[in-house]
């Protein structure tokens, strides 16, 4: 009697694991397929300030950056002294935005330029030696 129960539990457990694995594979395929999203040409850029920003300076910075035509989204980190914004790539450049921004705001700032080592390595978040990356790549290449 106990042997039948152990076999049943094992079969149900393996079935549940198989179902979860199938759901995971379908999820990875759905997430990694190319998108028709119109936001794919957006560029993120950053402006660094020499010191942290007060609340009034943060509001001034947001007001100034949002007044520039073509800016889509903005975020100010007051404590770090950074401004991150997005715009349509090709319609303007980081230098254009920075020039317009410095005319509107008198707070000392400089555009962020990524070190060449970061640009060469691609995404700084993605560790290509991780198990997650290798598994996702395997699933993506297997079910293309």
């Amino acid at each position: 009697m106990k042997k039948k129960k152990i076999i049943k539990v094992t079969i149900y457990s393996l079935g549940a694991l198989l179902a979860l694995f199938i759901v995971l594979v379908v999820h990875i395929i759905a997430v990694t397929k190319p998108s028709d999203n119109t936001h794919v040409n957006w560029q993120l850029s950053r402006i660094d300030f020499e010191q942290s920003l007060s609340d009034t300076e943060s509001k001034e910075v947001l007001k100034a950056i949002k007044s520039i035509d073509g800016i889509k989204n903005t975020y100010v980190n007051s404590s770090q002294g950074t401004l991150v914004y997005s715009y349509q790539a090709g319609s303007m450049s980081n230098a254009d935005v920075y020039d317009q921004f410095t005319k509107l705001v008198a707070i000392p700032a400089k555009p962020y330029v990524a070190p060449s080592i970061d640009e060469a390595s691609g995404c700084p978040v993605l560790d290509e030696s991780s198990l997650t990356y290798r598994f996702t790549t395997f699933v993506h290449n297997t079910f293309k």
Side-chain angles (χ1 to χ4, degrees):
M1 194 61 134
K2 284 186 176 185
K3 190 173 185 179
K4 285 184 178 181
K5 197 172 192 176
I6 291 173
I7 292 174
K8 262 187 174 179
V9 169
T10 304
I11 290 174
Y12 287 136
S13 297
L14 290 175
L17 284 174
L18 180 65
L20 289 172
F21 180 77
I22 291 170
V23 168
L24 177 63
V25 168
V26 169
H27 171 73
I28 290 172
I29 291 169
V31 170
T32 58
K33 72 178 182 178
S35 174
D36 294 333
N37 193 345
T38 59
H39 307 303
V40 294
N41 291 327
W42 285 15
Q43 177 70 42
L44 278 178
S45 290
R46 185 172 110 183
I47 295 176
D48 293 337
F49 299 95
E50 292 180 5
Q51 57 192 14
S52 60
L53 302 171
S54 68
D55 288 340
T56 56
E57 289 173 326
S58 294
K59 289 176 185 176
E60 179 185 353
V61 164
L62 278 175
K63 184 179 177 184
I65 196 72
K66 286 180 180 180
S67 70
I68 299 172
D69 288 334
I71 300 296
K72 303 291 182 191
N73 296 309
T74 59
Y75 174 75
V76 173
N77 186 333
S78 301
S79 62
Q80 298 266 326
T82 59
L83 165 67
V84 178
Y85 57 92
S86 64
Y87 56 90
Q88 182 97 19
S91 65
M92 58 180 40
S93 70
N94 187 27
D96 295 335
V97 175
Y98 178 72
D99 290 340
Q100 291 180 41
F101 178 75
T102 53
K103 291 175 185 173
L104 298 170
V105 176
I107 303 169
K110 61 182 179 193
Y112 174 77
V113 178
S116 58
I117 190 79
D118 289 345
E119 289 178 1
S121 67
C123 181
V125 176
L126 191 59
D127 179 14
E128 293 183 5
S129 64
S130 70
L131 178 64
T132 303
Y133 175 80
R134 290 184 291 173
F135 179 71
T136 302
T137 304
F138 169 75
V139 169
H140 185 67
N141 291 335
T142 303
F143 297 103
K144 259 191 201 177

